[in-house]
Amino acid sequence: MKTGKEQLSKVSERILPHIHRTPVLTSSLINEVVGAEVFFKCENFQKMGAFKMRGATNAILNLSEEKQAKGVVTHSSGNFAQALSLAAKSLNVPAYIVMPDSAPEVKKAAVRTYGGQITECPSTLKDREEAANRIQKETGATFIHPSNDINVILGQGTAAMELLEDYPDLDHIFCPVGGGGLIAGTALAVKHFGKNCNCIGGEPLEADDAWRSLQSGRIETNKYANTVADGLKTQLGDQNFPIILENVEEIIRVAEDEIKSALRLIWERMKIIVEPSSAVALAAVIKEKERFKNKKIGIIISGGNVDLTNLPF
Amino acid sequence: MKTGKEQLSKVSERILPHIHRTPVLTSSLINEVVGAEVFFKCENFQKMGAFKMRGATNAILNLSEEKQAKGVVTHSSGNFAQALSLAAKSLNVPAYIVMPDSAPEVKKAAVRTYGGQITECPSTLKDREEAANRIQKETGATFIHPSNDINVILGQGTAAMELLEDYPDLDHIFCPVGGGGLIAGTALAVKHFGKNCNCIGGEPLEADDAWRSLQSGRIETNKYANTVADGLKTQLGDQNFPIILENVEEIIRVAEDEIKSALRLIWERMKIIVEPSSAVALAAVIKEKERFKNKKIGIIISGGNVDLTNLPF
């Protein structure tokens, strides 16, 4: 699979009719706090509220008509479950979503609203994979991994592509690191569309598997992952790790109070609702702000799906 | 004081260098809920987080240089205190703010951040007016009322003017009704810049003084005002009431649960932070949605300054 400039441009063109080209916001107060110019690519305004819509859409569009007719399947309890359901619905494709039976009812309801057909199973990875395998065999549906799939990765990269189209002179683009789909796609976009730009990840200290993976050169896992950034507990995969290893400049780790404080800054000053995961990237910039003084910095705001009755403030 | 088309255009031109031209957002889900096309003018993204910045700026710019040098004074514990402080600071004008000693510390801190000089007093209207009078005598500062001042009213009207510039074919513009400055300005803008457009107010049933004032033809007050929309507890004044009486089509009253439900819809679906007062206008549209089916509706989102530790969810 090619991951070059031309390939990324094709992906961007292909998914654009099905997604929002999200706005870029700035805040003079946050610029003052950071001592740099910060440009927020607001994927919280994306369809279904997160960048995952991009990768899900691209992965489905990449299938033959015959395969599309048989549907897609994934296991996820987070934004990708909703993204695949909505993208599939928009393209008239069946979507089978394997969710742990322990997943919050509100998340199951969201998947159902978007037309996803839920199969519940115990919450171990083995149970999830078995359930997904069974659905593949029964329906002929194609399995699409939430982050470790090259078409998903290329789709996620289109957010940074659009940001660089709007602001070609960015020095750095920061994004949060979870399963690795977003940062791998962002790093590819930066490599092919940036001018002297690099890609930097923000990761919770409490779930620093990607930081450790960059040190050791192999995929590390989290024993515990006690972080408010609940979208970032997952680990890298064999598709995205080589891209990250080659193209990501560095990963900066941040503590829980730094994440919460950045989250509050975005909510209070920008008046936008973003997930704690999104604040991890800004927290990383603020933590090392002396190094980024007077730079032009892009930040991918990953999403805005939060439980308003359970906020970390 | 003229309040015609030319006057409004001059005001808009005069304040534009000092304020944000705020974006207009839409939500396909909210359009589905309402059964109409809704265009949200996002004054929560305005400087200091509310439309009050427009009126405060215009009122100060309207003063002679000599008067500006002596400063401005108001009594407010809400957004106007912050707006007058920031507008004055930007224009190098001293701002004296009378606040009740019972006002939350966070609001006093915000005024100080924007450079306002606070005088505390007991929270009765009489005490506030006395304190403001004393400051006027001592400093020569000009008193600027938060809503009952024609220059403030004209400034507030520029939000609807911009909205009509962007969407000239709106059938209705809804805004919340508190002290009457926003709705009076909005109604003037609709009269002079709308095509077959009218201005409708949304008001909490719990503080329906403006609705009763339209019925009785004189300024009514609220005995109790037990509403989550804390910006809307104030009453109309002799400057804005005649404008409202002549130019506002109607006021629709909404219950507290309707306000909270509209607020939640905006937060969850649009991913933007707005004050409960802002949700009153959407709640009014939803309440009477059968009447507004398939119409094009503008809504002035008044502001986004909320206490994140004390949310009504």
Side-chain angles (χ1 to χ4, degrees):
Chain A
M1 168 66 68
K2 286 184 192 161
T3 59
K5 191 165 183 169
E6 202 184 332
Q7 180 69 14
L8 267 164
S9 296
K10 273 187 195 159
V11 168
S12 179
E13 203 178 311
R14 180 160 73 174
I15 67 171
L16 193 58
H18 307 284
I19 61 156
H20 290 318
R21 178 162 181 142
T22 50
V24 177
L25 297 184
T26 61
S27 157
S28 52
L29 183 123
I30 290 179
N31 287 350
E32 262 178 56
V33 167
V34 177
E37 273 185 278
V38 186
F39 301 88
F40 294 90
K41 176 69 171 168
C42 288
E43 290 293 300
N44 55 326
F45 296 147
Q46 187 51 266
K47 286 188 182 175
M48 65 61 58
F51 73 91
K52 301 257 178 185
M53 189 65 191
R54 296 175 180 269
T57 302
N58 189 48
I60 297 174
L61 288 172
N62 191 59
L63 300 175
S64 66
E65 276 189 30
E66 195 191 0
K67 280 194 168 177
Q68 284 189 10
K70 289 183 175 161
V72 288
V73 56
T74 196
H75 49 74
S76 160
S77 56
N79 281 331
F80 195 74
Q82 296 177 42
L84 195 68
S85 301
L86 179 59
K89 187 185 180 189
S90 314
L91 297 165
N92 280 314
V93 168
Y96 306 98
I97 312 293
V98 176
M99 294 184 91
D101 44 24
S102 58
E105 188 47 47
V106 58
K107 297 211 170 188
K108 293 179 193 164
V111 166
R112 274 186 220 108
T113 305
Y114 291 134
Q117 298 172 51
I118 297 175
T119 300
E120 293 189 28
C121 72
S123 75
T124 70
L125 184 60
K126 186 164 165 280
D127 285 303
R128 293 193 198 191
E129 285 179 349
E130 277 177 13
N133 282 336
R134 201 175 56 244
I135 293 169
Q136 283 183 77
K137 276 184 198 148
E138 285 169 14
T139 63
T142 305
F143 180 75
I144 299 183
H145 191 280
S147 53
N148 196 38
D149 175 305
I150 193 63
N151 292 301
V152 170
I153 292 167
L154 291 172
Q156 316 306 30
T158 58
M161 274 179 67
E162 291 173 8
L163 179 55
L164 284 164
E165 260 178 44
D166 292 345
Y167 299 94
D169 293 330
L170 295 177
D171 298 301
H172 312 281
I173 294 186
F174 281 71
C175 70
V177 189
L182 177 63
I183 195 166
T186 302
L188 289 173
V190 165
K191 174 182 178 177
H192 294 301
F193 296 92
K195 295 188 273 184
N196 298 316
C197 181
N198 62 27
C199 171
I200 300 177
E203 194 175 34
L205 262 165
E206 291 286 332
D208 67 348
D209 58 292
W211 183 87
R212 284 183 282 110
S213 301
L214 284 194
Q215 311 300 309
S216 70
R218 61 195 178 96
I219 296 172
E220 304 286 346
T221 58
N222 296 306
K223 245 188 189 152
Y224 314 101
N226 187 22
T227 174
V228 67
D230 54 0
L232 307 185
K233 293 178 177 179
T234 44
Q235 63 187 72
L236 305 180
D238 61 352
Q239 297 287 304
N240 57 47
F241 182 51
I243 298 173
I244 294 169
L245 203 54
E246 191 182 325
N247 300 293
V248 170
E249 181 73 12
E250 66 173 313
I251 289 176
I252 295 172
R253 295 175 301 169
V254 287
E256 291 302 297
D257 58 347
E258 292 167 328
I259 299 171
K260 287 179 204 169
S261 148
L263 184 66
R264 191 160 189 144
L265 198 59
I266 296 173
W267 281 50
E268 286 192 340
R269 294 303 174 157
M270 298 184 67
K271 313 294 181 192
I272 61 174
I273 292 180
V274 306
E275 300 169 356
S277 302
S278 297
V280 170
L282 177 61
V285 177
I286 292 174
K287 182 164 199 163
E288 303 277 337
K289 66 180 181 178
E290 290 310 317
R291 285 166 54 199
F292 301 114
K293 213 171 173 117
N294 299 323
K295 297 292 184 189
K296 287 190 175 177
I297 296 170
I299 288 182
I300 313 287
I301 293 286
S302 52
N305 292 335
V306 294
D307 178 358
L308 291 179
T309 56
N310 187 19
L311 297 176
F313 300 117
Chain B
M1 168 66 70
K2 286 185 191 160
T3 60
K5 191 166 184 171
E6 201 184 332
Q7 180 68 13
L8 268 164
S9 296
K10 273 188 197 160
V11 167
S12 179
E13 203 178 311
R14 181 162 72 175
I15 68 172
L16 193 57
H18 306 284
I19 60 156
H20 290 320
R21 180 163 180 141
T22 51
V24 177
L25 297 185
T26 61
S27 157
S28 52
L29 183 122
I30 290 180
N31 287 350
E32 264 180 54
V33 168
V34 177
E37 275 185 276
V38 186
F39 301 87
F40 294 90
K41 177 68 172 170
C42 289
E43 289 294 298
N44 56 326
F45 296 146
Q46 187 51 266
K47 286 188 183 174
M48 66 59 61
F51 74 90
K52 302 257 177 184
M53 190 64 191
R54 295 175 181 269
T57 302
N58 189 47
I60 297 174
L61 287 172
N62 191 57
L63 300 176
S64 65
E65 274 189 32
E66 194 191 1
K67 280 194 169 177
Q68 284 188 11
K70 289 183 176 162
V72 288
V73 56
T74 196
H75 49 75
S76 160
S77 56
N79 280 331
F80 195 74
Q82 295 177 43
L84 195 68
S85 301
L86 179 58
K89 188 185 179 189
S90 314
L91 298 165
N92 280 315
V93 169
Y96 306 97
I97 313 293
V98 176
M99 294 183 90
D101 43 23
S102 59
E105 188 47 47
V106 58
K107 297 210 169 186
K108 294 179 193 164
V111 166
R112 274 186 219 109
T113 305
Y114 291 134
Q117 298 171 51
I118 297 175
T119 300
E120 294 189 28
C121 71
S123 75
T124 70
L125 185 61
K126 186 163 165 280
D127 283 305
R128 293 194 199 189
E129 286 178 348
E130 278 176 12
N133 282 338
R134 201 175 54 245
I135 293 169
Q136 283 182 79
K137 276 185 199 148
E138 286 170 13
T139 62
T142 304
F143 180 75
I144 299 184
H145 191 279
S147 53
N148 196 38
D149 176 305
I150 193 65
N151 292 300
V152 170
I153 292 167
L154 291 171
Q156 317 305 31
T158 58
M161 276 180 66
E162 290 173 9
L163 180 54
L164 284 164
E165 260 177 45
D166 292 347
Y167 298 94
D169 293 331
L170 296 178
D171 299 300
H172 312 281
I173 294 185
F174 281 70
C175 70
V177 189
L182 178 62
I183 194 165
T186 302
L188 289 173
V190 165
K191 174 184 180 177
H192 294 301
F193 297 91
K195 295 189 273 186
N196 298 315
C197 182
N198 63 27
C199 171
I200 300 177
E203 194 175 34
L205 262 166
E206 291 286 333
D208 66 349
D209 57 292
W211 183 86
R212 285 184 280 111
S213 301
L214 284 193
Q215 311 300 309
S216 71
R218 61 195 177 97
I219 296 170
E220 305 285 346
T221 57
N222 297 305
K223 245 190 190 150
Y224 313 100
N226 187 21
T227 175
V228 67
D230 54 0
L232 307 184
K233 294 179 179 179
T234 43
Q235 63 186 72
L236 306 180
D238 61 352
Q239 297 288 302
N240 58 46
F241 183 51
I243 299 173
I244 294 168
L245 202 55
E246 189 181 326
N247 299 293
V248 170
E249 181 73 13
E250 65 173 315
I251 289 174
I252 295 173
R253 295 175 300 169
V254 288
E256 291 301 297
D257 58 346
E258 293 167 327
I259 300 170
K260 286 180 203 168
S261 148
L263 184 67
R264 191 161 188 143
L265 199 58
I266 297 173
W267 281 51
E268 286 192 340
R269 293 303 172 158
M270 298 185 66
K271 312 294 182 193
I272 60 174
I273 292 180
V274 306
E275 301 170 353
S277 302
S278 297
V280 171
L282 177 61
V285 177
I286 292 175
K287 181 163 200 165
E288 302 278 337
K289 66 181 182 178
E290 290 310 317
R291 287 165 53 198
F292 301 115
K293 214 172 170 116
N294 299 323
K295 297 293 184 188
K296 286 191 174 174
I297 296 169
I299 288 182
I300 313 287
I301 293 285
S302 52
N305 292 335
V306 295
D307 178 0
L308 292 179
T309 56
N310 187 20
L311 296 176
F313 301 117

